[in-house]
Amino acid sequence: MASIRSRGKKLFVDFRYLGVRCRETTNLIDTPENRKKLQKIIERMEAEIVLGTFNYAQYFPKSDKASKMMALNDRKECINTSMPSFKQFAELWFSEKEIEWRDTYKRKIREIIDMYLLPEFQGRPIDTIKKTEVLAFRSALAKVTRGKVKKPLSAARINSIMVPLGMILKEASKRYKFENPYEDIKSLKEPRTSIQPFTLDEVWKFINWVREDYRNYYLVRFFTGMRTSEIDGLTWENVDFDRREIVINQALVKGKIVPPKTQESYRAIQMSPWVYDALKEQYKVSYKRSEYVFCSHTGEPLDYNNVNKRVWHPTLKALGLKKRNAYQTRHTAATLWLAAGESPEWIAYQMGHSTTKMLFNTYSRYVPNMTRQDGSAFEALVSRSQMAQASTDKETSK
């Protein structure tokens, strides 16, 4: 049974809902009159809980616990009903799957469900959703715009929204024995990732021009292929000067330290002499100030949006270099290593790729332009073989 208590002269309600103890503070001052008023509210709450019509968010709209309790209720109803609504099953599916995901991916899926899927399908019995409606929903996404310039959603973004929808419908169709409306729906074709690596001359031009306090930062980026989240989350404990290695076991995403992007992303990057010297210089600058190798003047990790706006893009503009995002430093490292003739397996490991397939699919088309080896190496090999054979034949004929 719910009880009324007082905290800081304000009344709060102590009750249990779905097996969870809940304490919710009200705006009512602790007076006899307000206690009577609150008691009537509690009696109505308890009646609705018994009838199964209690709406947590309606009673406590500002509560941090409201969304959690509403989700619990949806999952309970989903389990107890013969055919749940889309919202009920989506909440159940999310609660079962979230243990498998990183926090960043969990937030991404939660955002997609709340922002796109529930407004479209939430009250529908899940077995009544048809394939034509799924396709119509996808078409509607192509008309959604975002930002000040009203930019439409990209094919990649639309695909990322459709993936959890497909997973939810597939799982529901298996459990409740109905035809999966997502069957045979293919992903939209996405344009190839824009790869705009720097030439080696452009790399040195950038490093020699950029602000002195960011020179080490960009030198390390260009010659290690680290992702933005990896270098921004790099701490001194993961820099091994004795072994000349940078250990990647964490990343900085939206201000939080999280595990690396994939299992293969856990790796030890070898320091080239330039990277080693840059980190030694950086050690003098930031070691006593922060646990982060590259940090702000207050010791906090770098805000990549701020760095891009204040350093990266102004430097490109000042040098007359093509406008591109800072992730191109990673692409640059890969193409330079390939151009230098490094082992593809070694490069894939340095980049955090599971195989060399992605390496060749993404970067190999840039290597001929950098090495000027566009078939001439093979021609030279055959020519040398012909000359050697001719020489042998000539000696034999004597």
Side-chain angles (χ1 to χ4, degrees):
M1 183 175 178
S3 60
I4 299 174
R5 299 187 181 182
S6 177
R7 179 191 296 137
K9 297 183 179 181
K10 292 283 185 72
L11 295 177
F12 72 91
V13 185
D14 189 339
F15 65 106
R16 297 190 72 83
Y17 179 57
L18 298 178
V20 178
R21 185 178 183 183
C22 305
R23 299 181 184 88
E24 295 292 350
T25 303
T26 72
N27 291 323
L28 299 175
I29 302 298
D30 188 2
T31 65
E33 183 180 353
N34 284 339
R35 280 180 174 266
K36 289 180 182 180
K37 184 187 296 185
L38 187 56
Q39 183 59 43
K40 290 182 179 180
I41 295 173
I42 287 176
E43 289 172 1
R44 187 166 68 249
M45 279 174 47
E46 290 180 328
E48 291 179 4
I49 289 173
V50 171
L51 293 172
T53 60
F54 177 67
N55 186 316
Y56 201 102
Q58 186 175 348
Y59 277 90
F60 308 106
K62 296 182 180 180
S63 170
D64 294 336
K65 194 177 287 186
S67 59
K68 176 182 176 182
M69 300 310 298
M70 292 293 288
L72 276 175
N73 184 63
D74 285 334
R75 291 197 289 271
K76 178 188 174 186
E77 289 185 26
C78 181
I79 292 169
N80 293 335
T81 187
S82 59
M83 188 58 63
S85 68
F86 179 86
K87 182 177 187 297
Q88 290 168 342
F89 188 78
E91 295 295 350
L92 177 64
W93 174 82
F94 183 84
S95 69
E96 293 172 343
K97 297 290 289 183
E98 63 178 330
I99 193 173
E100 304 173 12
W101 301 329
R102 293 180 5 168
D103 287 344
T104 49
Y105 189 70
K106 192 188 307 182
R107 288 196 297 270
K108 175 184 176 181
I109 298 299
R110 183 74 259 175
E111 178 186 272
I112 289 172
I113 291 174
D114 292 341
M115 186 179 298
Y116 296 102
L117 305 187
L118 293 186
E120 181 71 20
F121 301 109
Q122 65 174 345
R124 293 280 301 278
I126 199 162
D127 64 328
T128 66
I129 298 172
K130 305 302 180 186
K131 185 174 184 177
T132 53
E133 295 172 309
V134 174
L135 291 172
F137 170 67
R138 187 176 69 175
S139 296
L141 289 175
K143 300 179 178 65
V144 174
T145 58
R146 58 188 175 84
K148 294 180 180 179
V149 296
K150 301 297 182 182
K151 186 178 180 181
L153 297 181
S154 66
R157 178 57 175 164
I158 293 174
N159 287 338
S160 72
I161 294 169
M162 296 298 291
V163 165
L165 174 60
M167 294 170 71
I168 291 169
L169 293 174
K170 180 181 178 181
E171 183 60 29
S173 67
K174 287 167 58 179
R175 293 194 192 187
Y176 297 99
K177 310 301 181 186
F178 62 86
E179 186 177 348
N180 178 12
Y182 205 90
E183 190 74 32
D184 296 328
I185 293 181
K186 307 296 183 184
S187 297
L188 298 177
K189 288 187 177 181
E190 300 176 22
R192 289 181 67 95
T193 302
S194 177
I195 307 298
Q196 298 176 313
F198 290 67
T199 66
L200 189 53
D201 286 343
E202 288 175 331
V203 170
W204 287 119
K205 191 176 182 181
F206 185 99
I207 290 172
N208 291 331
W209 181 274
V210 74
R211 276 172 45 177
E212 186 175 354
D213 52 337
Y214 280 91
R215 189 166 297 153
N216 294 330
Y217 174 74
Y218 283 111
L219 194 149
V220 173
R221 286 196 66 148
F222 273 116
F223 291 121
T224 63
M226 294 170 69
R227 298 179 177 92
T228 301
S229 60
E230 292 171 345
I231 191 168
D232 289 354
L234 180 64
T235 52
W236 283 114
E237 65 180 356
N238 289 322
V239 176
D240 189 335
F241 286 114
D242 293 332
R243 297 175 63 88
R244 294 190 175 227
E245 290 181 343
I246 300 170
V247 178
I248 304 299
N249 59 18
Q250 62 186 34
L252 184 74
V253 179
K254 295 185 177 179
K256 292 184 177 181
I257 292 295
V258 299
K261 184 178 181 181
T262 63
Q263 191 62 37
E264 290 75 23
S265 296
Y266 288 90
R267 63 198 190 279
I269 300 174
Q270 293 182 20
M271 296 183 200
S272 66
W274 308 280
V275 171
Y276 178 85
D277 291 341
L279 288 173
K280 277 291 188 179
E281 285 296 319
Q282 188 63 25
Y283 185 88
K284 300 173 186 176
V285 174
S286 64
Y287 179 73
K288 293 183 179 180
R289 182 197 304 170
S290 175
E291 64 179 316
Y292 293 98
V293 175
F294 300 102
C295 59
S296 66
H297 67 278
T298 60
E300 297 297 315
L302 296 177
D303 179 340
Y304 72 91
N305 285 320
N306 187 46
V307 173
N308 286 344
K309 181 179 179 181
R310 296 171 63 89
V311 184
W312 174 260
H313 290 297
T315 304
L316 292 180
K317 185 175 181 180
L319 293 171
L321 296 175
K322 184 189 299 183
K323 185 178 180 180
R324 61 196 102 177
N325 59 43
Y327 200 81
Q328 300 302 326
T329 59
R330 177 170 165 82
H331 299 322
T332 299
T335 54
L336 290 177
W337 282 329
L338 283 167
E342 297 287 2
S343 161
E345 289 78 11
W346 178 85
I347 299 172
Y349 176 77
Q350 299 297 295
M351 299 287 289
H353 293 165
S354 57
T355 67
T356 58
K357 181 180 179 181
M358 181 183 292
L359 189 71
F360 285 115
N361 287 347
T362 307
Y363 302 114
S364 60
R365 61 197 175 107
Y366 291 93
V367 176
N369 292 332
M370 302 179 69
T371 61
R372 301 192 180 277
Q373 299 297 313
D374 50 2
S376 57
F378 178 69
E379 293 173 9
L381 175 65
V382 175
S383 296
R384 287 196 300 270
S385 176
Q386 286 179 321
M387 291 175 64
Q389 186 62 47
S391 177
T392 300
D393 292 344
K394 186 176 181 180
E395 289 294 327
T396 303
S397 64
K398 291 180 179 180

